[in-house]
Amino acid sequence: GENVEQHPSTLSVQEGDSAVIKCTYSDSASNYFPWYKQELGKRPQLIIDIRSNVGEKKDQRIAVTLNKTAKHFSLHITETQPEDSAVYFCAVGGGADGLTFGKGTHLIIQP
Amino acid sequence: KAGVTQTPRYLIKTRGQQVTLSCSPISGHRSVSWYQQTPGQGLQFLFEYFSETQRNKGNFPGRFSGRQFSNSRSEMNVSTLELGDSALYLCASSPGTSGDFTDTQYFGPGTRLTVL
């Protein structure tokens, strides 16, 4: 089955700086790559996703890049704000095993 | 549209008991997937139901089962509860037309199950 590695597990950045979270996957047939944000005690919420026919997608301060050859994709958050503090999960879809999730990154925004 | 809802939000059970969790998807969505979230294992796929049929299944023992009704609402059942079943159980709804988890999945708030 699919295997997803996510790094780092914890990321602390100063407010206003950028944050980058990276994920690698194993199955070259995978073709859907969403990112979810989960605040403490809340449900995972989709923040951005990308499909394999696109290399980059941007939505205001959030962007995702995909390198299918290297089998990795990254989440970029610019101009970080206190409300960006949360756990971020990457996920991979495109097969019969449901979405396969990374272990999560705890993003801490320092004031 | 109303979001995905799950009931109950919290449950406390003892070992050996069984439990049933419920999930109501977004109106018009026909696929409901279930995930288990634990600090150690993260988010893991249990199974997916589409049009009242289990369409995909993860790697969990047969104690975990589910069903889906004609209105797309889904229930998940865990029999003979073990301490390790303590987790947040999340359901996710999607249109389900792709069949391969490339549709956007919207999560419910989860049911926090504690097994004593």
Side-chain angles (χ1 to χ4, degrees):
Chain A
E2 177 66 89
N3 183 47
V4 179
E5 300 280 341
Q6 182 172 346
H7 298 282
S9 57
T10 303
L11 178 60
S12 181
V13 301
Q14 291 292 126
E15 182 178 349
D17 287 349
S18 296
V20 180
I21 303 170
K22 298 181 180 180
C23 287
T24 61
Y25 61 99
S26 60
D27 188 349
S28 56
S30 294
N31 57 1
Y32 177 59
F33 309 91
W35 286 88
Y36 285 86
K37 174 184 180 182
Q38 188 175 29
E39 297 175 76
L40 192 62
K42 301 277 184 72
R43 72 186 75 193
Q45 296 228 314
L46 179 75
I47 55 171
I48 196 166
D49 58 9
I50 193 168
R51 289 177 169 80
S52 61
N53 57 341
V54 178
E56 183 173 357
K57 184 177 178 181
K58 191 173 181 181
D59 182 5
Q60 299 183 352
R61 297 186 298 109
I62 294 172
V64 56
T65 58
L66 170 65
N67 184 328
K68 281 222 80 182
T69 302
K71 290 188 279 188
H72 68 71
F73 58 112
S74 301
L75 176 71
H76 305 253
I77 305 174
T78 58
E79 301 172 13
T80 52
Q81 301 169 4
E83 53 265 35
D84 294 330
S85 293
V87 179
Y88 291 80
F89 294 95
C90 64
V92 175
D97 299 331
L99 286 179
T100 303
F101 285 84
K103 288 287 198 268
T105 296
H106 186 192
L107 178 61
I108 302 164
I109 308 301
Q110 303 278 7
Chain B
K1 284 185 181 177
V4 182
T5 58
Q6 291 185 245
T7 57
R9 294 294 310 279
Y10 303 91
L11 266 177
I12 299 176
K13 293 285 186 178
T14 56
R15 279 178 298 174
Q17 288 187 309
Q18 73 166 17
V19 67
T20 300
L21 315 180
S22 180
C23 172
S24 292
I26 292 169
S27 177
H29 285 188
R30 295 165 63 192
S31 168
V32 174
S33 298
W34 289 89
Y35 293 83
Q36 181 194 65
Q37 186 175 26
T38 59
Q41 297 300 315
L43 279 147
Q44 294 184 288
F45 172 67
L46 282 152
F47 34 65
E48 181 218 9
Y49 283 84
F50 179 81
S51 291
E52 302 178 64
T53 301
Q54 188 181 87
R55 184 163 64 174
N56 291 295
K57 187 178 186 304
N59 190 28
F60 276 80
R63 299 186 298 108
F64 293 82
S65 63
R67 59 178 174 167
Q68 187 179 35
F69 302 94
S70 58
N71 61 356
S72 294
R73 188 177 71 86
S74 177
E75 288 182 347
M76 189 190 97
N77 185 76
V78 189
S79 62
T80 320
L81 284 165
E82 300 176 359
L83 294 178
D85 296 334
S86 293
L88 180 67
Y89 290 89
L90 293 158
C91 73
S93 95
S94 74
T97 50
S98 72
D100 63 355
F101 300 94
T102 55
D103 291 344
T104 299
Q105 297 212 6
Y106 299 89
F107 282 88
T111 295
R112 172 75 61 186
L113 173 64
T114 302
V115 182
L116 302 175

